[in-house]
Amino acid sequence: MNLLTIEGISKSYTEKILLNQVSLGINEGDKIGILGINGTGKSTLLKVIAGVEEADKGTVTKGKKVRIAYLPQTPVLEENRTILENVVKGKKAEEEYRNLEGEAKAMLERLGILDSSAYPIFLSGGQKKRIALVQALLTPADILVLDEPTNHLDYEMTEWLEGYLNRYRGVLVMVTHDRYFLDKVTNRIIEIDRGKLYSYMGNYAKFVEGKAQREEMILASERKKKSLYRMELEWMMRGARARSTKQKAHIQRFEQLRDREKISADKSVEIQSVSSRLGRKTIEINGISKGFDGNILISEFSYILLPGDRIGIVGSNGCGKSTLLKLIQGILEPDSGTVEVGQTVKIGYFSQENEALDETKRVIDYIRDVAEVIQTEDGTVTASQMLERFLFTGAMQYTLIGKLSGGEKRRLYLLRVLMEAPNILILDEPTNDLDITTLTILEDYLKEFEGIVLAVSHDRYFLDKMAERIFAFEGNGIIRQYEGNFSDYKAALTTQTQVQQNQQKQDEEKETEKPLKNSWKKKEEKPKFRYAEKKEYESIEGEIAQLETQIAKLEEEINQYAADYEKLRILTEEKEETERILEEKMERWVYLNDLAEQILEAGGRL
């Protein structure tokens, strides 16, 4: 069933045409991922679908009862409302038994927002994005529109969101550059290319295959047109005269071929390896510790960066990953320990947030401020040529930075960092707001880069391609090292968990075997109660009755406080603990009762 139809819409931003007479149908069951190079209009298309912006031309038709929820790329929260009030504002529980505030609190906690009664005025952009994500997910909707939902989520949060969206019954339309996420969640890909839309059925892997086939067909068609054009040009050069209708048609065909829009292979970001010489001494980290307000983030961490190191840094939000990067660069001082930096070290820092760009400056001037020319493996390259390789064409190079999209600014900032020819690259969330084309070439560039790379990232695909060692923040200031990429790290964690579970199971089995052996011995040696067992036997039935009464009382309180999420959580945990104690008491009662029967059968007295 069709829920929403876009017909012949066009949309321009300043002089740039983003969408050129495009059409799209959104149907029940669709899980759509929208892809394209930064600045092609992905967010604009989402806004048109969500009804936030109107197209310059064309129509958007949706069913009267079709509801749409929208997560913008940069959400704005009401600062005079609490976090919880922002999330549930204007919403009503669809069923009487649905505890909307409880769901909201649980979801916020899952995404690292622990105090839902706080006000959002002092929150970071990432925290606000996660709050807005919960707000969108809890909005009753037939079409859920999400702009970069995985930005600012750690990998555990991302895996939770994957599971949630896979279970989501409505239609999903989203922009994301997380390739593993696209593979697991989507069943259709829409690509925006030169103002047109191209649809591919399947997930990201199917899209890559389908795009390659489409481009090959287009290029084959263009080769035929070029060949035909050369033949027509030769005919014209021989002095064709428009004496007949047939000749007039021939000339017209030549003019159409001559004036056609030329098709070429997609441009891609090309980054030549640019770096300075790195001496024998790099960066030595010696027992550094750092904490804030009594919270220990890093505890006695040591490491010597080695030439060729490719290190991925992972951990939950707020655990201290960015703090470690700042300590290495000397932006922050450790509470204890030292960081020693070699004389030849030249650090290129691609921060989580773009540096403050002067939006009144032209794109080319921003790069020329670093260098007019640079030396690459292929020789001298000018600032203008490097911009071309980063998809900033001649006209765009003289555009004001303020007119660029967020992703284009991010790409420009990356180019500036690389133009400085660093020999140690420090990347803090490099995948945020970069399109997949740029990410793919950046990954290839890092393979050839002769210096050292440290990258904080939650992008599992990026870490699998880039990292050869993982630094994992594991709480209480502990940073543990794992060899290999992100998938190797996850496999190591799984193995550790299995070993711990097996050990726990063995310990439990040993504990279970002990009373059985003792019971067997007691049978052979004329069974009898020890003093403590006799006292326990006399009181255990009363204790069991008390526990059963306590559980019944907790169940009544749980029903009473169903709307109070925090109280509900405490009561539920107390009930689970009481049930566990009751189960242990019941097992103990069975043992003591069996022993009592054995004593009586043997002619003894209780």
Side-chain angles (χ1 to χ4, degrees):
M1 178 181 172
N2 180 266
L3 299 181
L4 185 143
T5 301
I6 290 172
E7 292 182 298
I9 68 165
S10 296
K11 184 73 177 176
S12 298
Y13 179 70
T14 61
E15 305 86 16
K16 186 176 182 180
I17 298 175
L18 298 177
L19 303 171
N20 187 10
Q21 295 184 339
V22 300
S23 298
L24 174 66
I26 298 176
N27 306 307
E28 280 187 352
D30 277 346
K31 297 284 178 70
I32 300 172
I34 298 178
L35 302 183
I37 294 170
N38 289 137
T40 56
K42 300 186 297 295
S43 293
T44 299
L45 179 59
L46 288 191
K47 290 175 184 177
V48 171
I49 291 170
V52 176
E53 285 190 11
E54 291 186 0
D56 300 334
K57 296 179 182 178
T59 59
V60 179
T61 307
K62 71 178 180 71
K64 291 181 180 179
K65 295 184 179 180
V66 172
R67 301 165 298 176
I68 298 176
Y70 172 56
L71 171 70
Q73 192 172 43
T74 308
V76 177
L77 302 178
E78 294 186 35
E79 294 183 349
N80 61 339
R81 293 178 182 264
T82 66
I83 291 169
L84 183 60
E85 287 170 346
N86 268 281
V87 170
V88 301
K89 178 185 65 176
K91 298 180 177 66
K92 293 182 180 179
E94 292 178 312
E95 300 90 7
E96 290 183 5
Y97 63 83
R98 184 180 179 195
N99 179 9
L100 188 61
E101 289 194 0
E103 284 184 56
K105 288 179 181 178
M107 218 176 261
L108 287 166
E109 278 195 19
R110 192 67 186 78
L111 296 180
I113 309 296
L114 304 181
D115 185 5
S116 60
S117 63
Y119 288 86
I121 185 170
F122 298 114
L123 298 181
S124 67
Q127 289 170 318
K128 289 178 181 177
K129 184 66 177 275
R130 281 177 266 148
I131 292 165
L133 175 60
V134 174
Q135 187 181 48
L137 294 179
L138 288 178
T139 301
D142 303 292
I143 302 176
L144 181 59
V145 180
L146 305 175
D147 198 345
E148 295 288 4
T150 60
N151 273 8
H152 309 290
L153 301 186
D154 62 36
Y155 71 87
E156 290 179 344
M157 295 174 186
T158 301
E159 288 178 348
W160 170 82
L161 184 59
E162 282 175 0
Y164 183 93
L165 294 178
N166 277 325
R167 295 188 300 272
Y168 185 72
R169 293 182 180 179
V171 168
L172 173 65
V173 183
M174 66 175 178
V175 170
T176 181
H177 303 309
D178 188 319
R179 287 154 285 185
Y180 281 157
F181 193 83
L182 285 166
D183 247 354
K184 292 181 180 179
V185 174
T186 61
N187 58 21
R188 186 181 175 193
I189 300 291
I190 301 296
E191 180 191 17
I192 304 179
D193 184 17
R194 300 179 180 94
K196 299 297 183 183
L197 301 187
Y198 299 91
S199 180
Y200 305 83
M201 297 308 297
N203 58 9
Y204 178 73
K206 291 290 185 183
F207 155 74
V208 172
E209 182 182 342
K211 179 178 170 67
Q213 292 173 353
R214 179 179 73 83
E215 289 183 338
E216 181 55 37
M217 289 173 62
I218 291 172
L219 291 174
S221 175
E222 177 62 18
R223 285 192 292 269
K224 290 179 182 178
K225 288 179 181 177
K226 281 183 179 179
S227 177
L228 183 58
Y229 175 69
R230 283 195 296 269
M231 292 171 59
E232 297 292 333
L233 181 60
E234 289 176 6
W235 181 81
M236 290 291 292
M237 294 294 288
R238 286 200 298 267
R241 296 178 182 177
R243 291 195 299 263
S244 67
T245 302
K246 186 175 182 180
Q247 287 174 324
K248 286 179 181 179
H250 210 148
I251 292 170
Q252 188 178 15
R253 187 167 71 232
F254 165 77
E255 290 172 345
Q256 288 173 346
L257 286 167
R258 180 194 62 195
D259 299 334
R260 76 191 188 284
E261 182 182 354
K262 309 299 188 296
I263 303 297
S264 59
D266 275 353
K267 290 183 178 180
S268 60
V269 179
E270 297 176 8
I271 314 175
Q272 299 298 325
S273 179
V274 183
S275 62
S276 307
R277 187 188 69 83
L278 184 62
R280 293 181 64 183
K281 183 173 182 179
T282 59
I283 297 178
E284 297 181 5
I285 305 167
N286 304 304
I288 62 171
S289 297
K290 187 67 179 179
F292 296 96
D293 301 324
N295 182 25
I296 299 173
L297 298 178
I298 299 167
S299 178
E300 298 183 357
F301 176 67
S302 299
Y303 186 79
I304 298 174
L305 292 175
L306 305 173
D309 262 348
R310 298 289 185 273
I311 298 170
I313 303 173
V314 301
S316 60
N317 288 320
C319 67
K321 302 184 297 296
S322 295
T323 299
L324 176 61
L325 298 186
K326 290 175 181 177
L327 289 169
I328 291 171
Q329 297 174 80
I331 297 173
L332 292 175
E333 290 292 327
D335 298 335
S336 61
T338 61
V339 177
E340 299 178 17
V341 181
Q343 290 185 348
T344 61
V345 166
K346 187 176 182 181
I347 294 175
Y349 179 41
F350 187 55
S351 65
Q352 194 170 31
E353 302 293 337
N354 291 349
E355 65 176 27
L357 304 180
D358 183 353
E359 300 205 338
T360 64
K361 184 172 286 188
R362 296 181 306 177
V363 168
I364 193 165
D365 293 332
Y366 176 71
I367 298 301
R368 281 175 175 167
D369 285 348
V370 180
E372 282 277 1
V373 295
I374 55 170
Q375 192 67 37
T376 72
E377 294 176 354
D378 295 340
T380 300
V381 180
T382 67
S384 179
Q385 288 171 327
M386 284 298 285
L387 282 165
E388 283 277 355
R389 294 175 182 183
F390 268 67
L391 306 184
F392 292 101
T393 59
M396 288 187 69
Q397 292 180 19
Y398 292 89
T399 299
L400 296 179
I401 291 174
K403 292 186 177 181
L404 300 180
S405 71
E408 287 171 327
K409 289 176 183 176
R410 191 90 173 134
R411 193 196 310 150
L412 183 65
Y413 174 42
L414 173 62
L415 173 57
R416 182 179 170 113
V417 171
L418 297 178
M419 286 284 287
E420 293 172 348
N423 47 36
I424 296 183
L425 266 176
I426 295 181
L427 311 173
D428 194 355
E429 293 293 357
T431 62
N432 280 359
D433 299 320
L434 286 182
D435 58 72
I436 290 175
T437 303
T438 308
L439 287 175
T440 301
I441 306 302
L442 174 59
E443 289 156 0
D444 292 339
Y445 167 78
L446 293 179
K447 287 181 183 178
E448 304 300 324
F449 182 66
E450 294 180 354
I452 296 168
V453 182
L454 292 93
V456 168
S457 181
H458 299 308
D459 189 317
R460 299 156 294 175
Y461 193 101
F462 176 78
L463 289 173
D464 272 350
K465 294 270 303 241
M466 182 281 296
E468 295 174 1
R469 179 172 293 126
I470 296 292
F471 288 172
F473 280 70
E474 298 188 348
N476 299 319
I478 297 170
I479 303 174
R480 204 178 305 279
Q481 297 178 37
Y482 295 84
E483 293 303 310
N485 60 17
F486 182 81
S487 291
D488 297 325
Y489 157 68
K490 287 287 287 180
L493 286 186
T494 302
T495 302
Q496 285 180 12
T497 303
Q498 289 173 345
V499 169
Q500 290 170 358
Q501 290 174 344
N502 290 339
Q503 185 62 49
Q504 184 179 359
K505 187 178 179 181
Q506 290 173 7
D507 292 342
E508 289 173 353
E509 288 174 352
K510 287 178 182 177
E511 288 298 319
T512 304
E513 288 170 3
K514 286 180 182 178
L516 292 174
K517 290 178 181 177
N518 292 337
S519 297
W520 181 251
K521 288 178 182 178
K522 287 185 173 76
K523 284 183 181 179
E524 294 177 342
E525 300 169 0
K526 197 175 181 179
K528 64 179 180 179
F529 274 133
R530 294 195 299 271
Y531 177 78
E533 286 178 330
K534 187 173 185 299
K535 288 288 185 183
E536 186 180 6
Y537 177 70
E538 292 170 352
S539 63
I540 195 166
E541 288 188 3
E543 291 174 6
I544 288 172
Q546 287 179 356
L547 288 169
E548 288 173 337
T549 302
Q550 187 177 348
I551 289 170
K553 184 179 178 182
L554 286 169
E555 286 174 346
E556 289 178 5
E557 289 185 32
I558 286 170
N559 292 329
Q560 181 182 351
Y561 290 98
D564 187 337
Y565 173 76
E566 186 60 27
K567 183 71 173 176
L568 187 65
R569 183 181 63 81
I570 294 169
L571 290 171
T572 302
E573 289 176 358
E574 187 178 346
K575 178 173 175 284
E576 289 173 353
E577 177 63 18
T578 307
E579 287 174 338
R580 184 189 64 79
I581 295 170
L582 176 62
E583 187 177 349
E584 290 178 356
K585 289 288 184 184
M586 291 295 291
E587 290 176 358
R588 187 66 177 162
W589 176 83
V590 170
Y591 165 70
L592 292 171
N593 202 50
D594 286 346
L595 181 56
E597 290 178 0
Q598 293 169 19
I599 291 169
L600 293 172
E601 288 174 1
R605 296 174 61 187
L606 298 178

